[in-house]
Amino acid sequence: MSKVYFTPINSYSNTKEINSASKKLIEKIQNQEKILDFRKNTPLKVHFGEDKNNTFIEPKNFIEIIKYLKKNKSKTFYIETNVLYKGRRTIKKDHLKLAKEHAFTQIPIVIADGNTGENYKEIDITKHKTKHFTKCKIGKKIAEQKQMIVLAHFKGHILAGFGGAIKQLSMGCASRGGKLAMHAQSKPILNPIKCKKCHTCEKNCSVNACIIDTLIPYIDYSKCIGCAKCIAVCPFGAVQVNWISTLPKEFREKLAEYALATQQNKKIIYINFLLNITKDCDCHSGKQKIITKDIGVLASTDPVAIDKASFDLITKRNKGKKMFKGEDIFNYAQKIGLGKTKYKLIKIIN
Ligand code: SF4
Ligand code: SF4
C-alpha cells in the first residue's frame, strides 16, 4: 500500500493556501520518505498551458516549492517537452515564448527534447511484461535526470479519460516521436494534396524518408523511424498524425508503459493539483469548462496511487458519480509495475 498525503483547499483563488499546502506536503514527504538528494538537480516537470488556456496551474502556485529547493541548495528549473501537434508549443523558441507569457519566469526553463522534438533517449522496458512497447522515446534532458518533482493538474482528457501524474510522466515526458507512438501508428502521413513541395521535411529528415521529387510525394515507411520532426517543420500542415488509429484503452496502456520508462532509475515526488478541474486538458486553447468544485493538493511517491486517490476524491465529491472515464489504466499500470492501486490517504491540515 502506498501513502498519499492530502491537504484540502476550497478554492483555486487561494494562492497563499495552495503554496502553504505544497510546502507542507513536500516537507512531509521528504522527511518521511527521504526521496530527494539535494546535491542533485531537482527539475520541476510542468505544463505551460496551451495558448489562451486559462485553467492550467499557474506558476505562482509553485513559489514555495521553488523556495524549498533553493533553501536546500538543490538546482532547480522547469522542464517540459514539445507537443506533437502544430501550435505555439511545437518548436522550442515559440514554446519558451509562450511559457514566459504564462509567467513561468521564476527559474530557468529546459525543453527536454530539443528544438523540434528530435533529442530523445530510448529507454528499455523489456524486463516488464508490457503489451505495446519494449523501448520508449523519452525527452533526452528528462531521461538524464536522476530525480524530479512532477507537478500535475488533475483534469479530464478526451482520449485518456483523465490526466494526472501518469499522463504528465508519459505524454508529458516523451519526445515528439514517443508522443506519436502513443497517439497513433508510429509513422506520420504525408498528404500529397496539401504538399507544396517546399522540401523542408526532406532537409530535416535524418533518414531521407521524405520522398518529394516524385509525382505523388510520400513517406518511405521502410526508412522512417517515427521521430515526427517532419510534422513540426512542415509549413503547410501537410504531414499529419493518424489520430484515429488508437483505441482509448490501448492509448491508456501505452501511457502507462511510457510512464514506466520515464520513472525507471529516477526518484520522483508527484504533486497533483485538484483545482480548476476541467472536462478537457490544458492542451486546449480558450476557456475551459470547470466540472467540479476544487478539492486540494496531493503528494506521493507513487504515480498510480496519487492518480487513484485523486480520481476517488473527485468521485466522492460528486456523491459517487464518476466524472471521468479511463479507470482501467490503474490495473494495467499496477500489473506492469508502475505503482500500486491501494493507498493510504493521510490528511495534512494547512
Ligand atoms: S515540408 Fe510539407 S509542404 Fe514541404 S515538401 Fe514536406 S510535406 Fe510538402
Ligand atoms: S519521415 Fe523522417 S522526419 Fe518524418 S517521422 Fe519519419 S524519420 Fe522522422
Side-chain angles (χ1 to χ4, degrees):
M1 189 181 290
S2 295
K3 286 180 188 162
V4 178
Y5 302 90
F6 166 51
T7 299
I9 304 279
N10 59 18
S11 170
Y12 179 64
S13 62
N14 293 341
T15 310
K16 220 172 145 186
E17 278 184 35
I18 298 169
N19 266 294
S20 155
S22 306
K23 186 181 172 207
K24 282 200 178 114
L25 287 166
I26 200 163
E27 279 175 354
K28 177 81 180 171
I29 205 163
Q30 178 64 12
N31 290 343
Q32 296 273 311
E33 303 188 33
K34 305 273 179 284
I35 293 294
L36 303 174
D37 176 349
F38 295 119
R39 292 167 300 180
K40 294 176 183 155
N41 293 347
T42 313
L44 303 181
K45 172 66 185 76
V46 287
H47 185 306
F48 298 131
E50 190 49 82
D51 193 18
K52 300 187 179 63
N53 177 290
N54 62 353
T55 38
F56 68 94
I57 304 298
E58 295 162 285
K60 62 184 179 188
N61 297 294
F62 308 147
I63 300 293
E64 286 298 331
I65 296 173
I66 293 169
K67 272 193 200 164
Y68 173 78
L69 293 172
K70 285 190 172 169
K71 194 180 106 196
N72 285 290
K73 300 194 172 18
S74 184
K75 190 178 165 196
T76 185
F77 44 90
Y78 293 126
I79 200 158
E80 177 57 311
T81 54
N82 294 308
V83 298
L84 182 54
Y85 52 87
K86 281 278 193 190
R88 290 195 59 201
R89 296 183 301 133
T90 310
I91 290 173
K92 184 177 169 182
K93 111 174 135 41
D94 303 333
H95 203 165
L96 290 174
K97 196 161 174 260
L98 179 67
K100 289 196 174 130
E101 282 171 27
H102 283 182
F104 286 83
T105 53
Q106 302 73 19
I107 45 177
I109 295 174
V110 170
I111 299 294
D113 57 342
N115 200 31
T116 53
E118 70 283 9
N119 287 348
Y120 62 86
K121 197 172 165 197
E122 281 202 311
I123 298 192
D124 192 311
I125 51 166
T126 40
K127 66 179 180 194
H128 299 271
K129 285 188 181 142
T130 49
K131 279 192 202 172
H132 305 281
F133 302 114
T134 50
K135 284 181 179 169
C136 298
K137 294 170 183 161
I138 305 300
K140 192 162 180 278
K141 291 273 166 59
I142 289 178
E144 287 168 357
Q145 303 303 321
K146 298 276 180 271
Q147 60 185 25
M148 194 157 71
I149 297 178
V150 172
L151 303 172
H153 178 205
F154 201 91
K155 72 276 153 195
H157 183 269
I158 193 162
L159 201 54
F162 65 89
I166 299 174
K167 189 146 182 304
Q168 260 289 48
L169 201 56
S170 51
M171 197 58 74
C173 293
S175 69
R176 178 171 280 114
K179 290 180 170 82
L180 182 67
M182 279 181 275
H183 264 301
Q185 286 169 354
S186 52
K187 312 275 167 83
I189 302 168
L190 194 157
N191 181 339
I193 298 165
K194 280 191 164 183
C195 177
K196 305 277 187 234
K197 296 199 172 188
C198 71
H199 295 267
T200 310
C201 58
E202 187 185 68
K203 286 177 204 148
N204 279 279
C205 178
S206 60
V207 293
N208 300 321
C210 297
I211 313 297
I212 305 303
D213 280 332
T214 173
L215 186 62
I216 300 173
Y218 67 100
I219 289 172
D220 182 345
Y221 292 134
S222 66
K223 292 182 183 169
C224 174
I225 53 167
C227 72
K229 192 171 182 186
C230 49
I231 299 173
V233 297
C234 174
F236 303 101
V239 195
Q240 294 157 345
V241 181
N242 185 3
W243 293 107
I244 55 166
S245 64
T246 301
L247 298 168
K249 186 168 179 285
E250 184 183 318
F251 177 69
R252 291 190 280 270
E253 289 169 357
K254 288 179 173 180
L255 288 177
E257 293 182 15
Y258 257 74
L260 190 69
T262 306
Q263 189 181 242
Q264 198 156 277
N265 303 325
K266 257 189 207 45
K267 304 277 188 192
I268 304 180
I269 291 178
Y270 301 91
I271 301 186
N272 276 6
F273 294 84
L274 275 60
L275 302 162
N276 263 356
I277 304 163
T278 48
K279 181 175 153 288
D280 288 311
C281 73
D282 300 341
C283 295
H284 282 249
S285 185
K287 207 169 183 314
Q288 300 301 305
K289 192 179 164 207
I290 305 281
I291 54 164
T292 186
K293 283 184 185 160
D294 292 328
I295 294 178
V297 186
L298 285 80
S300 183
T301 53
D302 181 332
V304 179
I306 195 171
D307 275 4
K308 179 79 170 74
S310 302
F311 191 101
D312 292 346
L313 280 168
I314 293 173
T315 305
K316 197 173 162 202
R317 165 58 64 90
N318 289 281
K319 300 186 172 62
K321 183 183 170 201
K322 288 186 180 163
M323 303 304 285
F324 306 115
K325 293 182 179 158
E327 251 188 304
D328 47 67
I329 195 170
F330 295 128
N331 283 339
Y332 184 70
Q334 176 167 263
K335 199 171 150 196
I336 62 171
L338 180 63
K340 297 189 180 106
T341 56
K342 286 216 166 107
Y343 60 87
K344 184 176 178 202
L345 196 66
I346 303 160
K347 220 173 189 177
I348 309 284
I349 297 304
N350 213 355

